[in-house]
Amino acid sequence: MQAPPPPQGPQGPQGPQQGGPMPMMPSPEQIAAMQRQLAIDAEKMGMTVPQFIEHIKRHRMQAQQQQAQQGEHAHQHQHQHPHPHPHPHQHQHQPQPGQPQPIVPGPPNPVAIALAKFLRSQNLKPRTCILNGERKDMFRVKRALRALESDAYKKARLKNPALPEITDRASLENTFKLLPLSMLALRVVKADPHEGHDHAPPKKQGKRIKGLWTVRIEPQQEAGDDMYYVWLWEGSQIMRKVYAALALAVIFALVCYPLWPAKLRQGGYYLSWGFLCFMGLFFAMAIFRVILFCITYFVLPPGLWLFPNLWEDVSVVDSFKPVWAWHEPAAEKKKKKKKSKKAAGSANASATFSAATGQPAPATATTTATATQVSAGPQQRKYMAPRVEELADDE
């Protein structure tokens, strides 16, 4: 007799299904709540949602890379030292003097703050840039390195011996790297505002302010001469608070104008009329300069401008310098820009040659000569003396 077949359960003849339970998908309400929380976190950071997502991705990638590097170092350490050590701090790898140190951001230390105060007091020719929608001061690394090699830094070391001593290029870079180590200044690069977006860049972009870059923080914090850093440390905020308090006091005093004494109110009345007259003269001058240009454009081309930098993005004093200037067509402005770019390129090339070889770059020579004149008489050749134009570094 044949044995009866085994009983089949409710799951069929093949037995229970392999694998665990299916993962539960979030509900639409949960997805909407997650999106709202993501938008709130992005707004706190001063970013858009796509920028905040990219920021989180970069942090995760950096954390994974650090974990992988730590795992590799631990694995190599185990192979080199298989026996346990009672004092693991004796085997930590100390940086050798004369070698650049890697940058691992941490809390600020007093030495870095003293270094930042010194560099802030030097003329680094800072530029204004846009970082995460805020205006920041940006400077070039080589200007900071020059300041650290100057006599002013030696005098500062005499007053504050805690400042590091600079003996060679490696110690110079390590001293400068105290800024990113303490998150006082970070390296930035020029960024495209449409980077990371799915759409193509617009054909007609808004008017860009001259010299105003939109930058982003670079993960690799190095100290190359042609790199740019942005100040995150703004120094003491005491004076800013004092100015804010004075502004509030002035506003409160203006609000209390009906309570002023009679003589003080009369003086304020005359001052207000003087200010209104000044503004009227300013706008009258602005209209007159346009009329003057329209007249001189046809009488004395290419036209005369009164205060040509009046509406430029410069300081108040520079807005009235020079007093007058001839109108420059757009074509001439482009030619001047091209010439300045060529001169800057040749200057950078000479600086690179000097830095690489340790010798001054040879001067560039431009030789011009007239064409040879052929006639029935004796041939004469007239040559002009060669002109030597030395291009100095404009930095």
Side-chain angles (χ1 to χ4, degrees):
M1 294 180 62
Q2 297 180 356
Q8 300 179 359
Q11 292 151 349
Q14 296 180 357
Q17 296 180 357
Q18 300 293 330
M22 294 293 291
M24 295 182 64
M25 298 297 292
S27 62
E29 292 80 4
Q30 293 176 346
I31 295 175
M34 292 167 63
Q35 291 178 350
R36 287 194 299 269
Q37 185 64 32
L38 190 64
I40 293 172
D41 295 339
E43 186 177 359
K44 289 180 179 179
M45 295 290 292
M47 305 179 183
T48 60
V49 175
Q51 292 176 351
F52 184 66
I53 294 174
E54 293 295 330
H55 178 71
I56 294 175
K57 289 181 179 178
R58 285 197 300 268
H59 274 279
R60 288 183 178 176
M61 290 178 63
Q62 292 177 3
Q64 292 176 359
Q65 291 177 0
Q66 291 179 359
Q67 291 178 0
Q69 291 177 0
Q70 291 176 359
E72 291 178 359
H73 288 308
H75 186 68
Q76 293 177 1
H77 187 74
Q78 289 177 1
H79 279 287
Q80 293 176 1
H81 307 281
H83 57 280
H85 298 284
H87 302 286
H89 63 273
Q90 296 178 357
H91 299 273
Q92 292 179 357
H93 300 281
Q94 298 293 336
Q96 299 180 0
Q99 294 183 356
Q101 301 177 7
I103 294 178
V104 180
N109 58 66
V111 178
I113 294 177
L115 181 67
K117 288 181 179 178
F118 169 75
L119 291 177
R120 274 288 199 177
S121 64
Q122 300 300 307
N123 183 17
L124 303 182
K125 296 183 180 180
R127 299 173 55 182
T128 304
C129 65
I130 301 297
L131 178 63
N132 295 333
E134 298 180 357
R135 287 178 177 255
K136 299 288 184 179
D137 290 334
M138 180 178 65
F139 64 94
R140 210 167 185 175
V141 173
K142 69 178 182 180
R143 302 190 190 281
L145 299 183
R146 289 176 186 172
L148 294 178
E149 292 176 330
S150 64
D151 295 334
Y153 181 74
K154 296 178 181 179
K155 294 179 181 179
R157 285 197 71 250
L158 294 177
K159 297 180 181 179
N160 188 3
L163 291 173
E165 183 180 3
I166 296 174
T167 56
D168 53 5
R169 176 71 184 190
S171 61
L172 178 64
E173 292 185 2
N174 291 335
T175 302
F176 177 79
K177 287 179 181 178
L178 291 175
L179 299 178
L181 280 170
S182 300
M183 302 296 290
L184 302 178
L186 293 177
R187 181 190 167 198
V188 294
V189 293
K190 194 173 182 180
D192 184 7
H194 300 280
E195 184 179 0
H197 296 182
D198 296 334
H199 63 81
K203 295 181 180 179
K204 293 184 179 180
Q205 299 181 354
K207 184 179 179 181
R208 185 180 68 86
I209 301 176
K210 184 178 180 181
L212 194 62
W213 287 7
T214 300
V215 298
R216 60 178 176 83
I217 297 176
E218 184 70 12
Q220 299 296 332
Q221 299 292 314
E222 299 177 359
D225 288 344
D226 295 330
M227 297 178 182
Y228 289 92
Y229 272 68
V230 67
W231 283 111
L232 301 181
W233 181 75
E234 298 180 355
S236 178
Q237 304 297 317
I238 296 177
M239 294 306 299
R240 181 176 294 183
K241 294 178 180 178
V242 171
Y243 293 149
L246 290 176
L248 288 176
V250 171
I251 294 172
F252 182 75
L254 293 176
V255 171
C256 296
Y257 176 78
L259 302 178
W260 290 7
K263 292 183 178 180
L264 194 60
R265 279 185 292 173
Q266 187 176 8
Y269 174 78
Y270 290 143
L271 285 176
S272 62
W273 270 108
F275 179 75
L276 289 176
C277 292
F278 173 77
M279 293 300 297
L281 290 175
F282 177 80
F283 284 108
M285 182 268 297
I287 297 173
F288 173 74
R289 68 190 290 269
V290 176
I291 297 173
L292 179 63
F293 170 73
C294 293
I295 295 173
T296 56
Y297 183 79
F298 297 101
V299 178
L300 296 173
L304 181 68
W305 277 111
L306 185 65
F307 302 121
N309 295 326
L310 185 63
W311 307 116
E312 296 292 335
D313 185 22
V314 293
S315 63
V316 178
V317 177
D318 293 336
S319 298
F320 297 93
K321 294 181 181 180
V323 178
W324 65 276
W326 296 105
H327 175 67
E328 294 183 3
E332 292 184 3
K333 288 184 179 180
K334 290 182 179 179
K335 288 181 180 179
K336 287 186 178 180
K337 287 183 180 179
K338 288 181 180 180
K339 288 182 180 179
S340 61
K341 286 182 180 179
K342 288 181 180 179
S346 58
N348 292 335
S350 62
T352 305
F353 177 82
S354 301
T357 60
Q359 300 177 357
T364 58
T366 305
T367 306
T368 57
T370 58
T372 305
Q373 298 178 356
V374 181
S375 61
Q379 295 184 354
Q380 296 180 356
R381 294 184 178 180
K382 296 181 180 179
Y383 293 95
M384 294 179 63
R387 294 179 299 159
V388 179
E389 300 176 359
E390 296 189 4
L391 301 177
D393 188 9
D394 59 344
E395 300 296 334

